[in-house]
Amino acid sequence: MQFTDLLTEVLVTALGSLAFGIVYKVKRNRLPAVAAGGGIGWMIYRLLFLAMENIFLSNMGATLFATVYSEMLARKKKAPVVVFLLPCLIPLVPGGGLYYAMSWMVRRDVQQAMSYLGKACEAALGIAAGILLVSVIIHRNRTA
């Protein structure tokens, strides 16, 4: 992968996160942070995937960043964490994998469908694990 390809992907995902923030009525002063979080999160995902070729770990790493980033912004901007976290995670959602799994299932090619479904589940579990890990650590430290 060339640097310009990665830069293009990061810009497009930042715009996607920005658009998601606009559609869900994130306040205007929070939109740049939402866009930056989505772009940086995607960059982390791609770099990790290029290094390891592991869907679960790549998604978990990017989600760890997105969750810590969102927790910090929520405190700084006095907003719920979810305002920042959801738009930052939108680029990581395995929608394409789910689409292709269903498409192959409709075509009755169960082997291809299971392949795509497995990858989509791996990505979803990586996202869930990243959120869970950061949330447990942060909330455990708050109550201690």
Side-chain angles (χ1 to χ4, degrees):
M1 169 175 273
Q2 292 189 342
F3 176 75
T4 55
D5 295 336
L6 180 61
L7 184 60
T8 302
E9 286 184 23
V10 168
L11 291 174
V12 169
T13 55
L15 288 174
S17 292
L18 176 67
F20 186 84
I22 291 169
V23 168
Y24 285 93
K25 297 182 178 18
V26 172
K27 288 185 181 177
R28 186 172 281 215
N29 66 333
R30 298 174 182 157
L31 288 173
V34 162
I40 295 168
W42 182 258
M43 181 179 66
I44 291 169
Y45 167 79
R46 290 298 286 154
L47 293 174
L48 288 173
F49 189 78
L50 287 170
M52 297 183 289
E53 293 188 18
N54 185 304
I55 295 170
F56 175 82
L57 292 176
S58 301
N59 275 283
M60 191 171 102
T63 301
L64 288 170
F65 160 77
T67 308
V68 169
Y69 178 78
S70 298
E71 289 278 355
M72 290 177 6
L73 281 173
R75 283 165 184 64
K76 182 178 180 185
K77 301 214 179 239
K78 302 200 185 315
V81 174
V82 73
V83 168
F84 302 102
L85 186 58
L86 289 181
C88 288
L89 293 179
I90 282 297
L92 301 176
V93 172
L98 292 173
Y99 169 82
Y100 287 116
M102 291 306 300
S103 176
W104 284 111
M105 193 61 91
V106 168
R107 296 179 202 170
R108 299 183 191 274
D109 188 337
V110 177
Q111 187 174 356
Q112 283 282 20
M114 288 300 130
S115 173
Y116 278 101
L117 185 59
K119 291 175 185 174
C121 287
E122 216 177 317
L125 287 171
I127 293 168
I131 294 169
L132 188 63
L133 184 61
V134 172
S135 296
V136 165
I137 289 169
I138 287 175
H139 294 290
R140 179 170 248 193
N141 287 338
R142 243 191 246 162
T143 59

